[in-house]
Amino acid sequence: MINNEEITTNGSIFPLGWLDSLRVFFIEVGEISRFTLRFFKEVFIPRYEFKALVKQSYIIGYKSLPLIAITGLIIGLVLTIQARPTMAQFGAESWIPSMVSISIIREMGPVMVAVIFAGKVGSGIGAELASMKVTEQIDAMEVSGINPFKYLVVTRVMATTLMLPMLVTAADAISLVGAYVGVNLKGSISFHLFFLQVFSNLSFSDVIPAIIKTFFFGFSIGIVSCYKGYNANRGTEGVGEAANSAVVIGSLLVFIIDMIAVQLTSLIY
Amino acid sequence: MGIPLVEIEHLSKSFGSNRVLEDINLQLDPGENLVVFGKSGSGKSVLIKCLVGLMQPDGGCVKLFGEDIARLKTAELNVLRKKVGFLFQSAALYDSMTVRENLEFPLRDMKARSIADVEGLVKESLRNVGLEEAIDKMPSELSGGMIKRVGLARTLIMKPEIILYDEPTTGLDPITSREISQLIVDIQKKYNTAAIIITHDVACAKITSNRMLIIKDGVINATGTYAELSVSENEWIHSFFI
């Protein structure tokens, strides 16, 4: 080792930081994979924590609804307002409801809501579990013979996986209402006609893949947040780091999964 | 006397190059209060964490109720853990739960218990530590001494045969420390529990101990009763009791 550099077998020199980062990255991927495997092992073994699952679903799902609803409304509204001038140039204003609805339901709704979800819920889970870890609450569960992984991790990952699709569905619906308002700001279209145009151009191939991918978004956000919190280092610094990295990695995974989902969808349909 | 409740043989534990515990041997008999004494950072807390499987030792053997915990499956270890109470240094109360929920939580696997039984156990445990009125409070509403007492009540609710206390008086004023120490003795007498008490508080050791071990740099440096060790001619040991 020469200062901050390391000589490889073929004689070339790489900065040690770069190699270390790569090594840490692969270790982290391995650890998250192991954590995910443990989740699948624990999820099917009794005891099932239904009460905790319902509580987490309420916190993660219901309590996120106002933020998701406001965001959804704004997405629909802004998308319509932004699209109108360009559509008007081509005399295609009548296509705005169809275009906006397809954009929202296929991409904007799932991805935007998932990213906001990663920010709100992912950071919350990361910080909560990390705080429990550093204050020995997780150890306290373990020594009293309770499986903390099942109680804390399995319930939260299940809740994020089940709640995100519901939130996305709600956000899509509210976005379409936002789009309706946006269309009517500079034009006039009845509620009935607007939604007739929306649904006439929507098919199951638009809706189903978009909903399916949100299960994966929710799962990955849940797993990463729980992993970061559950394995936090000691101290308050670890709590902040867990919350931060839960959001960063969670959001990044949303885009990666979305990219894969788009490729798969285009192959199937 | 029957088999020891706890037997530790040649236990060693390192963190990287830092050797925290080395060749530790100890035994805890029924009804005994064993104080493990030493300076901060001498490996006392690591010792009791190895004892309940929260940390894996690098070498040696830990036996709980005659069973080597390294050979047990998680489910089997959990059965033994239910017979061991652990009071953490911070008490580790679940801060999203009320005092009542904190106490009910360890009982959740006991399906046979009715709601009235659980309520009775919760109240009895809180009565033992003199905190019945705090039943519906959140941990954030309690003082340091009250948090320790609730932690102790949560430990007692499972009626453990062994209680492990990790620095039970740390961060408390001398009066509250004395009260907690006396509570430890009262609990031992009332329930005939055995206890390992990790502390660096001489007053706590004096009140609670039947026997003491002094750890220095991860090695057991001296053993004896409080009375014996307090008059030790070893300068380092004697310095604790001045």
Side-chain angles (χ1 to χ4, degrees), chain B residues 56 61-63 66-74 76-77:
Chain B
Q56 303 306 315
C61 169
V62 176
K63 285 183 183 172
E67 296 201 59
D68 183 351
I69 64 164
R71 294 174 191 275
L72 298 176
K73 291 177 182 164
T74 310
E76 294 166 336
L77 179 60

Side-chain angles (χ1 to χ4, degrees), chain B residues 8-231:
Chain B
I8 293 177
E9 291 167 0
H10 309 296
L11 182 86
S12 59
K13 175 74 184 170
S14 301
F15 293 104
S17 58
N18 181 21
R19 201 152 181 83
V20 180
L21 295 173
E22 196 168 347
D23 197 28
I24 298 286
N25 294 284
L26 71 81
Q27 182 172 311
L28 179 73
D29 294 317
E32 181 184 29
N33 269 0
L34 173 66
V35 166
V36 178
F37 195 76
K39 283 165 66 178
S40 298
S42 57
K44 307 183 297 292
S45 297
V46 173
L47 175 67
I48 53 168
K49 286 184 178 172
C50 288
L51 189 57
V52 286
L54 278 179
M55 284 182 182
Q56 303 306 315
D58 299 330
C61 169
V62 176
K63 285 183 183 172
L64 268 178
F65 304 101
E67 296 201 59
D68 183 351
I69 64 164
R71 294 174 191 275
L72 298 176
K73 291 177 182 164
T74 310
E76 294 166 336
L77 179 60
N78 282 343
V79 172
L80 286 189
R81 279 170 168 168
K82 288 187 189 296
K83 295 197 264 182
V84 181
F86 197 123
L87 179 64
F88 286 86
Q89 190 171 340
S90 61
L93 297 185
Y94 309 124
D95 48 22
S96 59
M97 301 182 191
T98 63
V99 168
R100 181 198 297 274
E101 288 164 342
N102 261 282
L103 267 68
E104 284 172 354
F105 195 73
L107 300 171
R108 55 207 288 283
D109 283 338
M110 302 192 172
K111 290 170 187 151
R113 291 190 195 279
S114 67
I115 293 171
D117 285 345
V118 171
E119 180 77 8
L121 281 169
V122 168
K123 286 188 172 164
E124 184 196 336
S125 285
L126 284 174
R127 203 177 307 122
N128 279 327
V129 297
L131 272 181
E132 270 181 295
E133 76 283 356
I135 191 162
D136 290 317
K137 288 190 173 169
M138 296 298 289
S140 57
E141 297 173 272
L142 305 175
S143 68
M146 288 163 90
I147 285 172
K148 281 272 162 73
R149 282 167 186 268
V150 174
L152 190 50
R154 189 178 66 185
T155 306
L156 285 176
I157 203 160
M158 295 294 286
K159 304 267 193 273
E161 292 174 43
I162 306 167
I163 304 179
L164 308 174
Y165 297 93
D166 189 5
E167 308 273 13
T169 58
T170 295
L172 302 177
D173 62 85
I175 297 168
T176 313
S177 291
R178 211 158 36 239
E179 286 171 3
I180 295 285
S181 302
Q182 193 53 52
L183 199 55
I184 292 170
V185 177
D186 295 342
I187 284 163
Q188 181 210 14
K189 285 179 183 163
K190 187 170 179 183
Y191 295 104
N192 194 31
T193 54
I196 295 179
I197 301 146
I198 303 292
T199 188
H200 55 241
D201 178 357
V202 180
C204 172
K206 186 179 182 182
I207 296 169
T208 57
S209 68
N210 300 126
R211 188 161 61 94
M212 286 178 71
L213 295 177
I214 299 186
I215 291 188
K216 184 184 181 186
D217 300 329
V219 178
I220 294 178
N221 191 269
T223 60
T225 62
Y226 180 89
E228 287 165 357
L229 292 172
S230 62
V231 293

Side-chain angles (χ1 to χ4, degrees), chain A residues 61-71 167:
Chain A
Y62 183 74
K63 289 202 168 179
S64 302
L65 195 54
L67 176 68
I68 298 298
I70 292 167
T71 313
L167 287 171

